[in-house]
Structure formats: C-alpha cells, structure tokens
Amino acid sequence: MDTSGVIDLIRETMWVAVMVSAPLLTVALAVGLFIGVIQAATSVNEATLSFIPKLIAIAFTVVIFGSWQIGTLIDFTQHIFERIPALFQQ
C-alpha cells in the first residue's frame, strides 16, 4: 500500500468517526448548554445536575440513531476487509 492509500484510509476512518459520533456529541452539547443556562439563571452551581438529563438525552439519541450508527460502522468494516486482498497484490 502506498502513502496515498494510507492517507485515504486514515481520512475515511476519521470521517466515519465524525459521522458516527456527531449525533451524540451534538445532543450532549445542546443539553449541557441548556442546563448551563438554567443553572446560571437560577444561580445553582451544581455540576452533577446536568449528568442525568445528558444521560437521558444520549440514551434517547442512541435509540433513534443507533441502527444508523451500527450500519455505518458495519459498512466501513466490510469496506476495509474488502481492501485487504489488494494490499498483497503488487
């Protein structure tokens, strides 16, 4: 495998990681920001108050996007395994 192939593989891997993690990170950020605004408005400075709402929101997001995330990871893994024979042909 040449250098451009390795770079393409790394780029594709990073893109799949971003795509799979984006829904969870976006929901966690939005819920954390919302809870932070409420805490600032009420002057309640407790770090553990945002944990349970984030946990519930992320669990709900996994229920919604989980099948898509698993499908994306399976497709990527199959694509990687299909590329293995080409590594040994020169």
Side-chain angles (χ1 to χ4, degrees):
M1 179 177 253
D2 58 341
T3 306
S4 65
V6 172
I7 291 173
D8 287 340
L9 181 61
I10 291 171
R11 183 180 302 129
E12 187 178 353
T13 302
M14 295 301 288
W15 182 249
V16 168
V18 167
M19 291 294 292
V20 168
S21 65
L24 297 175
L25 293 176
T26 303
V27 167
L29 176 68
V31 170
L33 183 64
F34 179 73
I35 297 297
V37 168
I38 290 177
Q39 284 181 339
T42 60
S43 297
V44 176
N45 294 326
E46 182 64 35
T48 59
L49 287 178
S50 66
F51 179 72
I52 297 299
K54 278 186 192 178
L55 187 65
I56 292 169
I58 288 176
F60 186 67
T61 305
V62 167
V63 167
I64 293 172
F65 291 105
S67 62
W68 171 79
Q69 290 171 322
I70 293 294
T72 302
L73 290 173
I74 288 172
D75 291 343
F76 177 70
T77 304
Q78 287 175 344
H79 177 68
I80 294 297
F81 282 133
E82 288 170 359
R83 289 177 67 172
I84 289 175
L87 296 175
F88 301 107
Q89 296 175 355
Q90 294 189 15

